[in-house]
Amino acid sequence: MLVACGMQRCHQEALKKNRVVLAKQLVLKELLEHMIEKDVITTEMVESIQAKSGSFSQNVEFLNLLPKRGPNAFSAFCEALRETKQQHLEAMILKTTSNLSHGIARLEHCYGSNLPFSASESSNSKRPRWVEPMEHSLDNGDGPPIPPVKYCTPEFYHDHRHLAYKLISEPRGLALILSNIHFSSEKDLEYRAGGDVDCTSLEMLFKHLGYQVTVFHDQTAQEMQNSLERFSKLPDHRDVDSCIVALLSHGVEGGVYGSDGKLLQLQEAFRLFDNANCPNLQNKPKMFFIQACRGDETDRGVDQRDGKEWSDSPGCEESDANKEENLKLRLPTCSDMICGYACLKGTAAMRNTKRGSWYIEALTSVFAEDSRDTHVADMLVKVNRQIKQREGYAPGTEFHRCKEMSEYCSTLCRDLYLFPGYLPGK
């Protein structure tokens, strides 16, 4: 099955049908503050909205963003309209929503549930919002086998260590996995079937790579924040050479959901591990892996114009000022980090309910096979290549031949080889 997480279809349609009126009449100034308070948008998003010239353009930017901010964004918007004395706009979109919901109900009465979109997307449904098509499972239904990690040779280590981060501590580093599968019943976030496969695969991979792994399940956004903060302050980071954090949940651009349906902002999580807040990891590589949607748009893909590839389914500047005071080496606030994302901004990440997510399956396979002689950035390029070649198989649904594209961003300053299995002097 393929999973995504976003605003209900009827809510999106209600905003679309009233788009011109909303763009003309919305008063954003106070409303944006309410939306930040409700954990729907971030201060960075407010800045991008306010960078537009004129109220109409700012309203359009906000309306483009709103449908991508998760299943709670519509109700939070309606509440913010009430709180800012714009009830006439709330009444308008709620009336449209009601009409759309009645239309769906009439269609269901006439045709049953065989609609071109899931009947669970109606606003009064208690079933999961997005019913996913099932991919053909290529395994026995118990999830993918966890491949053994191949060890690097002493010769490879000695040939490559000069340009690489030091990575020979035992353990290699501390790893933290936060995996959310179940979500509170009052939130419109469905059970992440297959998420347990992802968690187990990553835990075993990190252990085989020589990391000491801690796993927490089904935490609220605040509990996730607390776990990350405690982990970042562990004194044991001083004695190891690297760190890994993996976040597995539903998400939107810039955040992942806690089990309570509230958002953990990713920038806040990354900030805990920067050079200012985590001195024990200064100059050491920090890896982050995010398995979560970054929007709700399904990548339909495009036909390749030409080509034979087929998709698989299954510094010199200085200043003269204060030179006598610059006795300590200065570091940028954020460096030596690499973060892999399951999908691109604005798009949904795909997950098979038996085999786990496409991204984690590719990640564990590539790292197990290639970490012996390939640095992390090149392995993530190979993961991208595998994701690019994969497509959904669900004939007769909108998900048939759907695509996904992973990406990574990096502030690494050296090659990051994991040197699995190599221990000096042993």
Side-chain angles (χ1 to χ4, degrees):
M1 284 188 172
L2 311 179
V3 171
C5 162
M7 184 179 286
Q8 291 183 14
R9 182 73 61 87
C10 63
H11 292 161
Q12 293 184 40
E13 286 297 313
L15 292 174
K16 182 179 177 181
K17 288 183 179 296
N18 295 288
R19 184 179 176 86
V20 174
V21 175
L22 289 169
K24 288 180 178 179
Q25 297 186 17
L26 260 180
V27 180
L28 279 184
K29 188 174 181 180
E30 183 184 348
L31 184 138
L32 291 176
E33 296 301 318
H34 286 277
M35 297 299 279
I36 293 174
E37 187 179 87
K38 298 175 193 304
D39 234 2
V40 175
I41 61 174
T42 66
T43 53
E44 290 81 6
M45 293 171 184
V46 171
E47 290 172 2
S48 70
I49 292 169
Q50 293 175 339
K52 302 294 180 181
S53 58
S55 61
F56 185 86
S57 296
Q58 290 179 4
N59 290 344
V60 168
E61 182 72 9
F62 173 74
L63 292 170
N64 289 339
L65 182 66
L66 186 60
K68 303 174 183 178
R69 300 306 298 166
N72 303 320
F74 184 83
S75 60
F77 177 51
C78 289
E79 189 176 336
L81 287 173
R82 289 197 303 275
E83 293 167 340
T84 56
K85 296 180 171 57
Q86 301 181 71
Q87 294 95 328
H88 64 293
L89 296 178
E90 181 200 15
M92 178 183 69
I93 59 176
L94 288 180
K95 182 178 179 181
T96 305
T97 302
S98 178
N99 291 339
L100 288 168
S101 298
H102 290 150
I104 292 171
R106 286 195 298 272
L107 283 172
E108 286 183 330
H109 179 73
C110 295
Y111 300 106
S113 60
N114 296 319
L115 300 178
F117 53 87
S118 168
S120 63
E121 290 172 343
S122 64
S123 61
N124 59 356
S125 173
K126 296 299 183 184
R127 290 177 291 165
R129 178 183 46 74
W130 195 313
V131 177
E132 314 154 336
M134 176 71 78
E135 285 187 334
H136 279 313
S137 183
L138 303 181
D139 55 24
N140 62 3
D142 295 326
I146 299 170
V149 171
K150 296 183 177 180
Y151 289 166
C152 87
T153 63
E155 293 76 18
F156 181 86
Y157 170 77
H158 289 293
D159 288 345
H160 292 82
R161 64 186 177 92
H162 306 290
L163 296 177
Y165 284 100
K166 173 176 169 285
L167 214 74
I168 54 175
S169 63
E170 188 179 6
R172 286 290 189 264
L174 309 183
L176 176 67
I177 302 173
L178 303 183
S179 174
N180 291 340
I181 298 175
H182 302 92
F183 298 84
S184 58
S185 57
E186 66 268 19
K187 302 297 181 180
D188 196 15
L189 294 168
E190 74 270 18
Y191 166 68
R192 294 183 62 248
D196 54 335
V197 178
D198 287 346
C199 184
T200 300
S201 296
L202 281 186
E203 182 180 5
M204 295 306 297
L205 173 70
F206 296 159
K207 285 181 177 179
H208 291 163
L209 289 170
Y211 285 81
Q212 180 178 311
V213 185
T214 301
V215 182
F216 291 110
H217 298 279
D218 296 333
Q219 292 193 317
T220 66
Q222 187 59 57
E223 288 171 340
M224 295 173 74
Q225 177 76 20
N226 294 343
S227 294
L228 287 163
E229 192 160 354
R230 285 195 301 270
F231 180 74
S232 71
K233 295 184 183 305
L234 289 174
D236 290 350
H237 286 303
R238 187 187 308 116
D239 303 320
V240 295
D241 292 338
S242 63
C243 162
I244 298 177
V245 174
L247 304 178
L248 318 175
S249 188
H250 290 303
V252 294
E253 173 53 29
V256 295
Y257 284 107
S259 60
D260 57 348
K262 295 183 178 180
L263 278 175
L264 169 73
Q265 300 296 339
L266 289 178
Q267 285 304 319
E268 287 299 304
F270 298 151
R271 185 182 60 81
L272 293 171
F273 296 87
D274 66 23
N275 293 320
N277 291 292
C278 191
N280 285 334
L281 286 172
Q282 287 181 358
N283 297 312
K284 299 177 182 180
K286 297 160 280 283
M287 292 167 272
F288 300 86
F289 301 105
I290 314 298
Q291 172 57 48
C293 293
R294 301 172 73 187
D296 59 0
E297 295 182 14
T298 303
D299 187 343
R300 304 302 308 146
V302 297
D303 290 334
Q304 186 169 300
R305 181 176 177 181
D306 295 304
K308 300 175 182 178
E309 292 186 9
W310 292 87
S311 292
D312 295 327
S313 179
C316 296
E317 298 87 352
E318 64 180 30
S319 168
D320 291 328
N322 300 319
K323 278 193 173 180
E324 70 279 3
E325 297 177 10
N326 293 335
L327 302 177
K328 290 186 177 180
L329 178 66
R330 299 287 289 172
L331 292 171
T333 303
C334 182
S335 67
D336 307 292
M337 293 184 179
I338 188 166
C339 182
Y341 294 93
C343 56
L344 303 178
K345 289 183 179 181
T347 65
M350 302 301 163
R351 173 167 34 87
N352 183 288
T353 56
K354 294 183 182 292
R355 299 176 57 179
S357 67
W358 294 7
Y359 181 66
I360 299 301
E361 186 177 1
L363 189 78
T364 53
S365 172
V366 170
F367 275 52
E369 177 67 29
D370 295 332
S371 59
R372 57 179 172 168
D373 57 9
T374 308
H375 59 72
V376 169
D378 277 356
M379 287 194 287
L380 290 178
V381 169
K382 187 169 183 178
V383 171
N384 287 351
R385 185 160 62 246
Q386 289 192 12
I387 297 295
K388 174 188 173 184
Q389 293 172 342
R390 189 166 180 175
E391 64 181 36
Y393 183 82
T397 76
E398 63 177 305
F399 301 103
H400 188 48
R401 303 201 67 189
C402 68
K403 303 293 290 184
E404 177 178 317
M405 191 63 234
S406 54
E407 69 171 344
Y408 73 91
C409 59
S410 172
T411 58
L412 293 180
C413 304
R414 303 178 70 85
D415 291 336
L416 176 49
Y417 290 100
L418 302 180
F419 300 127
Y422 177 77
L423 294 172
K426 291 189 178 182

